[in-house]
Amino acid sequence: KQEVTQIPAALSVPEGENLVLNCSFTDSAIYNLQWFRQDPGKGLTSLLLIQSSQREQTSGRLNASLDKSSGRSTLYIAASQPGDSATYLCAVFMEYGNKLVFGAGTILRVKS
Amino acid sequence: DTEVTQTPKHLVMGMTNKKSLKCEQHMGHRAMYWYKQKAKKPPELMFVYSYEKLSINESVPSRFSPECPNSSLLNLHLHALQPEDSALYLCASSQPSGYEQYFGPGTRLTVT
């Protein structure tokens, strides 16, 4: 059974810092990995999707990497801003079972 | 247009009521999903429709009844719910088999 773990569970940083969120998964039989952002009480916003054959994806101040063989992904946020405060979720789409498996999330607070 | 819409935004219902949640997308996606999310937890998959056919039911109680009337619409019919069913219900869509999932804003359901 796939298990997805996100570290740290919570993170508080001053504005302007670069930061890294970590995601690990136990079963490497994945199609892709997706990073999401969720504001309190809201839906999920897709940030980046990395296919299993890719090593990284970039969008603005965000960069996500994937090492499928070791079961790890990182989300790098450059020059953090208070508006980045949210819960960040990673999820893997399994090769079998046609479904996303989510990690528990990292709660990020960026202080101004 | 990468929008998934959900109605209503909020719903309060008694344990004997019957209500329905609605989800709509116009991205031409042929897979649609229902997730349940409790506070401070990641989303849990409930149902997957692929090409308007139910492909995954994650052992969801029969008081939840999904329906996919066409490729753009997804409903979740609710009947005789329990207070523990109170949660944020999220709809998502994608192309089938491992493409990026787009989420709606959710329906906040409270069962009294």
Side-chain angles (χ1 to χ4, degrees):
Chain A
K1 180 187 171 190
Q2 176 73 274
E3 292 186 6
V4 180
T5 303
Q6 290 188 243
I7 294 173
L11 182 62
S12 182
V13 300
E15 182 177 4
E17 265 200 19
N18 302 325
L19 57 99
V20 174
L21 308 182
N22 296 290
C23 174
S24 62
F25 47 94
T26 55
D27 186 343
S28 62
I30 65 168
Y31 272 129
N32 59 51
L33 184 145
Q34 202 166 350
W35 282 94
F36 294 91
R37 168 192 172 131
Q38 186 173 31
D39 295 294
K42 306 291 187 185
L44 277 65
T45 300
S46 179
L47 298 173
L48 289 164
L49 174 78
I50 312 178
Q51 299 292 351
S52 61
S53 59
Q54 297 176 316
R55 298 287 291 185
E56 66 178 290
Q57 282 284 349
T58 297
S59 176
R61 294 183 294 109
L62 305 179
N63 176 278
S65 68
L66 174 64
D67 184 340
K68 182 181 169 183
S69 59
S70 68
R72 295 180 186 277
S73 176
T74 61
L75 179 67
Y76 175 83
I77 303 176
S80 58
Q81 303 170 359
D84 294 330
S85 299
T87 297
Y88 290 80
L89 294 154
C90 80
V92 295
F93 196 96
M94 304 303 299
E95 284 183 2
Y96 53 88
N98 194 27
K99 63 181 186 180
L100 275 178
V101 179
F102 283 87
T106 294
I107 302 170
L108 173 65
R109 180 180 171 221
V110 181
K111 299 172 287 186
S112 57
Chain B
D1 181 11
T2 57
E3 188 178 26
V4 176
T5 59
Q6 290 187 243
T7 55
K9 286 186 171 55
H10 302 275
L11 179 62
V12 179
M13 59 185 292
M15 292 193 289
T16 58
N17 291 159
K18 286 185 181 181
K19 296 286 185 183
S20 297
L21 309 185
K22 180 180 172 182
C23 173
E24 193 165 7
Q25 57 89 14
H26 295 287
M27 294 177 276
H29 291 164
R30 301 305 297 275
M32 296 186 77
Y33 312 80
W34 280 116
Y35 291 86
K36 173 183 176 179
Q37 187 178 26
K38 302 283 275 185
K40 301 189 187 304
K41 297 288 187 183
E44 297 175 4
L45 183 67
M46 300 175 71
F47 303 103
V48 180
Y49 274 84
S50 184
Y51 298 100
E52 295 87 67
K53 288 187 174 15
L54 183 65
S55 62
I56 294 178
N57 176 341
E58 291 284 280
S59 303
V60 179
S62 60
R63 57 186 184 267
F64 296 91
S65 176
E67 179 196 20
C68 189
N70 60 56
S71 60
S72 300
L73 277 175
L74 185 66
N75 298 319
L76 186 63
H77 303 296
L78 314 172
H79 173 56
L81 294 192
Q82 304 296 311
E84 58 264 29
D85 297 322
S86 298
L88 182 67
Y89 287 84
L90 294 163
C91 173
S93 73
S94 73
Q95 292 299 358
S97 300
Y99 287 82
E100 187 170 6
Q101 286 193 22
Y102 294 87
F103 281 75
T107 293
R108 173 70 60 189
L109 174 67
T110 302
V111 181
T112 61

